[in-house]
Amino acid sequence: MANIKVNGKEYNVDATPDTPLLWVLRENVGLTGTKFGCGGAFCGACTIHMDGEAVRSCVTPLSRAIGKTIVTIEGVEDDIAKKVQQAWIEEDVPQCGYCQSGQIMAATVLLRENPNPSDDDINLGMSGNICRCGTYDRIRKAIHKASKM
C-alpha cells in the first residue's frame, strides 16, 4: 500500500512501488484524463504535474510519487491553466483530442516558466508532446494567446 496525494486528495493505493504512475492514476485512483500513448515517454499523452514539473507518468514509478504533489488534467486549475484551456477552446485546438490533456499540462508548465514565449521557446517546450492530427500551429497560436490573457 502506498499513500499519494493527487489533485489535493490523499489516496491509499494497493500497487507495487514499480507500477507506472499512469496506471495507478487511471486504475487505482479512477482519473482517466491522463492518457496512455506510447509507454516510453516519447509522446507526452501521459503528462502530469509532479511538484509543479511536467513528468511522463507512463515511466514514473509509483515510488517516485510518494510525498509529492500530483496534479492531473482533472485537477489543474490555477490561473495559467484556465487561460490555456480558454485559449485552446478559442483556437479550436483539438481535433481527435487524444493528446490534448498532455498538451495542456505541458503548455501550463511552459507558461509558468516562461510567461511570454517565442515560437522557438514553444517549439522547444512542447517538443516532447506529439499530436498525431498535426494541430501544432493551433497549439502554438493558443499558447501565444494564453500568454497575453
Side-chain angles (χ1 to χ4, degrees):
M1 297 295 273
N3 192 21
I4 59 172
K5 186 175 183 179
V6 182
N7 300 335
K9 288 179 61 179
E10 297 282 335
Y11 293 90
N12 198 17
V13 296
D14 186 13
T16 61
D18 62 342
T19 302
L21 186 56
L22 169 67
W23 300 118
V24 172
L25 293 170
R26 290 181 61 81
E27 296 177 4
N28 298 81
V29 178
L31 298 172
T32 58
T34 305
K35 304 299 183 197
F36 174 80
C38 67
F42 302 115
C43 74
C46 68
T47 303
I48 60 163
H49 297 170
M50 182 182 295
D51 284 348
E53 298 292 322
V55 298
R56 305 296 193 253
S57 62
C58 71
V59 296
T60 302
L62 171 60
S63 60
R64 187 169 161 222
I66 296 169
K68 306 285 173 97
T69 299
I70 307 299
V71 178
T72 67
I73 191 69
E74 293 93 344
V76 68
E77 58 187 15
D78 63 19
D79 288 341
I80 295 171
K82 289 176 184 175
K83 291 173 185 176
V84 168
Q85 290 169 343
Q86 180 180 344
W88 240 247
I89 292 166
E90 290 177 11
E91 293 302 324
D92 199 23
V93 172
Q95 191 162 318
C96 82
Y98 195 82
C99 70
Q100 295 308 303
S101 60
Q103 298 279 0
I104 289 169
M105 297 301 279
T108 301
V109 170
L110 169 67
L111 288 173
R112 188 177 306 128
E113 293 174 354
N114 183 351
N116 191 22
S118 66
D119 281 349
D120 287 341
D121 295 332
I122 293 169
N123 293 343
L124 181 63
M126 299 298 290
S127 65
N129 290 75
I130 296 172
C131 175
R132 292 173 60 136
C133 300
T135 64
Y136 299 110
D137 290 337
R138 293 192 308 238
I139 290 168
R140 192 178 307 106
K141 192 173 180 183
I143 291 170
H144 280 300
K145 180 175 262 190
S147 76
K148 292 175 183 25
M149 290 181 175

